[in-house]
């Protein structure tokens, strides 16, 4: 892990973000970012990911299904959920806040003016840089041998 949730909140595009719930998970490491388009998180979610969402995929879930979804997020090891407040939602539903607190999953609210691609680039930049450094070191060592 190259950055944690607390460090992510200090990124330029996250300076107006608000940590709404899951404060105890602030030290969770991040190794990737994904956009939530479907609730079958077990099929595509990975430990250490930050999930970006406008809550569209969750809007038709009943209370039990929503609870089951967040239990799966916890089981997978999702690092944080970032909710974009815009056309679909004007606030984060209380049950989602409570579930994030229950599982210590940081729940972060961002405004409509923040683009997903900017968050993704800022989070993945240090990870890609680290991997490039590792590859360069590998080639150096390989060349010496």
């Amino acid at each position: 892990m190259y950055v944690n949730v607390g460090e992510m909140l200090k990124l330029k595009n996250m300076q107006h973000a608000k940590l709404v719930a899951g404060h105890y998970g602030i030290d969770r490491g991040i190794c990737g970012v994904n956009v939530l388009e479907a609730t079958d998180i077990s099929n595509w979610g990975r430990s250490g990911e930050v999930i970006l969402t406008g809550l569209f995929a969750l809007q038709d879930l009943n209370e039990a299904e929503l609870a089951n979804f967040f239990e799966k997020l916890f089981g997978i090891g999702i690092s944080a959920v970032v909710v974009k407040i815009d056309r679909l939602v004007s606030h984060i539903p209380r049950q989602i806040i409570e579930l994030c607190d229950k599982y210590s999953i940081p729940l972060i609210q961002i405004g409509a003016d923040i683009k997903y691609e900017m968050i993704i680039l800022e989070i993945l930049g240090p990870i890609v840089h680290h991997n490039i450094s590792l590859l360069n070191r590998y080639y150096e060592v390989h060349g010496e041998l």
Side-chain angles (χ1 to χ4, degrees):
M1 308 289 174
Y2 312 104
V3 65
N4 67 33
V5 176
E7 293 164 338
M8 177 187 75
L9 288 169
K10 295 175 185 172
L11 297 173
K12 177 183 172 193
N13 285 292
M14 298 294 284
Q15 50 187 183
H16 298 294
K18 177 181 174 188
L19 181 62
V20 177
H23 296 80
Y24 292 115
I26 198 82
D27 292 328
R28 289 182 181 205
I30 298 170
C31 65
V33 185
N34 216 323
V35 177
L36 177 66
E37 294 181 349
T39 59
D40 60 342
I41 189 86
S42 300
N43 295 329
W44 54 267
R46 293 180 333 175
S47 178
E49 283 185 327
V50 170
I51 302 298
L52 305 176
T53 181
L55 298 179
F56 183 77
L58 304 179
Q59 70 180 352
D60 294 329
L61 298 183
N62 63 36
E63 287 186 20
E65 291 168 330
L66 196 58
N68 185 44
F69 177 76
F70 277 88
E71 184 177 350
K72 287 179 184 176
L73 287 182
F74 175 73
I76 290 168
I78 297 299
S79 292
V81 176
V82 177
V83 176
K84 187 173 191 174
I85 301 299
D86 62 0
R87 301 179 319 263
L88 183 61
V89 294
S90 59
H91 68 283
I92 300 172
R94 185 87 206 129
Q95 185 185 8
I96 291 176
I97 294 169
E98 291 169 358
L99 288 165
C100 285
D101 273 336
K102 176 181 179 180
Y103 294 113
S104 294
I105 299 171
L107 177 63
I108 300 156
Q109 177 180 313
I110 60 172
D113 58 324
I114 300 175
K115 306 288 184 222
Y116 285 164
E117 56 266 21
M118 298 312 296
I119 296 170
I120 292 169
L121 287 172
E122 279 190 317
I123 292 171
L124 293 182
I127 296 169
V128 170
H129 178 72
H130 177 77
N131 289 340
I132 289 171
S133 296
L134 284 176
L135 280 173
N136 286 338
R137 182 68 185 137
Y138 167 78
Y139 287 122
E140 287 172 14
V141 170
H142 181 72
E144 291 174 10
L145 295 175

